Amino acid sequence: GLEHHVEVARLGPPAPRAAVRARDVGQALLRRAAEKDRGAGLSRARLSALSVVVFRGPLALGELAAAEGVRSATMSGIVNGLEGEGLVRRRPHGTDRRAVQVEATAAGRRLLERARTRRIALVASKLGDLSQAELDLLDRAAELLEERFRLRRP
């Protein structure tokens, strides 16, 4: 909209313009993905927490809360819901007898994989008519963003 064009014009040089556009595209992708996530049958908060547990491995409740930017008490409620649905389980922490770790169950991993597949299919459906050169360009842009934000997994 108009706000986007005003912001781009105000920022001037290419790097800030690219930052605005990358932010806008990222936000749009997240909104569209959230629409697809409704098919998973979980709230956004639960799906996000499950994603962190699946991709980062077992985590202490406090670590999971920090990763999601919520209080431990809030995360405890989210984990209770996921546990009640059989998607995660609590297990004793390896070194701290007072703490527990949260780990995904096989059902949790399967649900997340289905949600991920829906998200990828959504994005792929929008890219299907691009040329190989355009796809290569998008791939390189994604590579640059991964490098800058250290998103690559070892």
Side-chain angles (χ1 to χ4, degrees):
L2 180 60
E3 298 88 19
H4 169 80
H5 295 292
V6 169
E7 188 170 5
V8 169
R10 182 177 55 78
L11 288 170
R17 283 197 311 268
V20 169
R21 294 187 75 190
R23 181 208 57 202
D24 291 350
V25 169
Q27 287 175 337
L29 281 170
L30 287 174
R31 276 193 302 277
R32 299 237 171 92
E35 293 168 12
K36 289 292 180 187
D37 287 345
R38 289 189 195 112
L42 290 179
S43 69
R44 289 177 79 180
R46 285 185 184 179
L47 193 59
S48 181
L50 179 60
S51 177
V52 171
V53 171
V54 167
F55 289 111
R56 289 184 48 190
L59 295 167
L61 190 66
E63 292 172 319
L64 180 56
E68 290 293 277
V70 299
R71 295 185 351 238
S72 289
T74 301
M75 186 51 67
S76 185
I78 292 169
V79 168
N80 286 342
L82 290 169
E83 193 171 34
E85 295 184 46
L87 302 173
V88 301
R89 69 177 144 260
R90 288 179 168 100
R91 66 179 171 103
H93 191 282
T95 57
D96 184 348
R97 286 188 287 172
R98 298 167 296 155
V100 295
Q101 286 193 309
V102 179
E103 68 181 355
T105 63
R109 286 189 294 279
R110 282 191 305 271
L111 184 141
L112 191 67
E113 186 56 37
R114 286 190 304 271
R116 184 174 183 268
T117 298
R118 280 191 298 274
R119 284 178 168 208
I120 291 169
L122 168 71
V123 175
S125 74
K126 303 298 182 189
L127 304 180
D129 61 345
L130 295 180
S131 70
Q132 188 59 52
E134 289 169 322
L135 290 171
D136 291 344
L137 183 62
L138 281 176
D139 191 51
R140 179 62 182 137
E143 194 174 89
L144 288 169
L145 289 170
E146 288 172 344
E147 289 170 4
R148 297 303 183 270
F149 289 94
R150 295 181 175 90
L151 299 176
R152 289 201 175 155
R153 292 188 204 148

